[in-house]
Amino acid sequence: MRYTSGHIPFIAQHFERLKKTASVLKFKIPADLSTEKEIEIKVEQLLQKNGIKGDARVKVILFRNEGGLY
């Protein structure tokens, strides 16, 4: 995703794709990433923590916990 001018363009489409993919893979989306706004907040926090000011590219990756039957 691109982060530009203080927001993520097409966040609704990115979020919808994330939800569909998680559903197909039977992943549970973490509560702190369960809305478009929460994703934008987390991205802003990450950029600020890493001292990035301005535009950036961000990739969201979900991992499955180990164990269990897939």
Side-chain angles (χ1 to χ4, degrees):
M1 298 181 292
R2 284 185 311 118
Y3 182 85
T4 184
S5 301
H7 75 283
I8 300 170
F10 309 110
I11 184 67
Q13 290 86 348
H14 289 301
F15 186 64
E16 202 54 42
R17 186 174 62 246
L18 178 70
K19 287 192 319 185
K20 284 181 183 178
T21 303
S23 175
V24 167
L25 296 173
K26 297 186 178 11
F27 277 26
K28 199 171 195 179
I29 294 179
D32 60 343
L33 295 177
S34 63
T35 68
E36 297 166 23
K37 187 63 181 169
E38 288 171 334
I39 289 176
E40 279 195 308
I41 290 169
K42 290 292 183 185
V43 167
E44 289 167 356
Q45 290 172 347
L46 180 65
L47 296 176
Q48 187 176 39
K49 183 177 181 179
N50 286 284
I52 299 172
K53 297 176 178 153
D55 297 351
R57 291 190 180 268
V58 179
K59 185 183 287 190
V60 176
I61 301 173
L62 299 178
F63 291 92
R64 188 186 308 257
N65 287 334
E66 68 177 63
L69 302 173
Y70 299 170

